[in-house]
Amino acid sequence: GHLSKEDQMLIIEALALAGTKKITFAGGEPTLCPWLHELITLAKNLGMTTMIVTNGSQLTKEYLEPLVGILDWCTLSIDSLNAETNRMAGRVKRGNLEGTAPDEAHYLQLIDLIKSHGIKYKLNTVVHAYNHEEDLSRFVLETKPERWKVFQALPITGQNDEHINDFLVSDEQFEAFLERHKQCPQLVPENNAAM
């Protein structure tokens, strides 16, 4: 169901001709695309600001080195700093028998890696039933993302009907999460009504 590499490149060229100034590659998980580097490079060569939104599972020094000077922004999707919370929410490395889930130390290493390659860092968090009582303030203030988008878990008919009820939070729970993090100047909230 995915477009071919050639069609994807044609779309980027058409966007550039139409005057597009910024392009974001998002998922699923965009780093699973075997030709993502080529798409980002094409967009950059056509004058666009480039960004990916990723869970970071594929980011390594070897992955990022060819993107130096080509990838402008990397937005990390981090919902929790707690490995057990991430495991319960399904954020485990696929194919890993132990179900390794990321924790704070893992994310700090990723952010250092991104910044050390001259790529600007943003943060996305989805507030859901497993993480809504957590406090990420210290982490956000320490890692200094340029922007922190905080979303309320959103039901989408036909896409996540089967499991979304396990993740939903009330408006009050979402607002309590925002209140707990009000000292973070980078925070940009998006509740379900805004989405």
Side-chain angles (χ1 to χ4, degrees):
H2 292 221
L3 294 173
S4 68
K5 176 171 79 169
E6 292 74 21
D7 285 345
Q8 290 177 18
M9 295 182 94
L10 285 173
I11 289 171
I12 292 171
E13 290 170 357
L15 288 169
L17 283 172
T20 299
K21 301 293 182 205
K22 179 181 178 184
I23 189 165
T24 300
F25 298 91
E29 176 51 45
T31 60
L32 294 175
C33 174
W35 52 82
L36 181 64
H37 283 72
E38 293 174 65
L39 299 176
I40 295 170
T41 301
L42 175 62
K44 188 66 175 177
N45 289 340
L46 292 171
M48 294 184 207
T49 298
T50 57
M51 180 167 64
I52 61 171
V53 178
T54 177
N55 62 26
S57 61
Q58 306 299 309
L59 296 186
T60 62
K61 180 180 178 186
E62 293 73 26
Y63 189 91
L64 289 177
E65 279 181 350
L67 294 172
V68 170
I70 296 166
L71 181 62
D72 298 303
W73 293 92
C74 182
T75 299
L76 283 179
S77 297
I78 301 175
D79 297 342
S80 175
L81 304 174
N82 181 291
E84 185 55 33
T85 301
N86 284 323
R87 188 174 292 106
M88 288 188 303
R91 271 204 198 269
V92 294
K93 193 160 189 171
R94 300 286 183 232
N96 186 314
L97 296 178
E98 292 82 36
T100 301
D103 60 10
E104 182 173 0
H106 171 77
Y107 288 129
L108 288 171
Q109 287 177 339
L110 275 181
I111 293 164
D112 284 344
L113 183 66
I114 290 164
K115 290 180 175 182
S116 72
H117 283 81
I119 300 166
K120 297 175 191 162
Y121 148 68
K122 294 182 184 180
L123 177 61
N124 283 356
T125 298
V126 176
V127 179
H128 52 70
Y130 299 108
N131 72 350
H132 72 92
E133 294 181 335
E134 294 185 15
D135 189 339
L136 305 177
S137 301
R138 180 191 49 76
F139 177 82
V140 172
L141 292 170
E142 178 183 321
T143 62
K144 298 178 178 66
E146 298 287 330
R147 186 208 65 213
W148 180 29
K149 275 199 160 184
V150 177
F151 305 95
Q152 184 179 4
L154 177 68
I156 302 173
T157 305
Q159 288 189 24
N160 62 8
D161 309 72
E162 191 174 334
H163 301 288
I164 191 61
N165 287 336
D166 296 337
F167 287 89
L168 294 178
V169 292
S170 67
D171 291 342
E172 292 76 19
Q173 289 169 319
F174 182 69
E175 290 300 323
F177 185 92
L178 297 178
E179 178 66 22
R180 191 175 315 116
H181 296 90
K182 66 183 178 185
Q183 72 273 28
C184 299
Q186 310 93 326
L187 190 143
V188 178
E190 290 196 21
N191 63 16
N192 287 352
M195 289 295 290

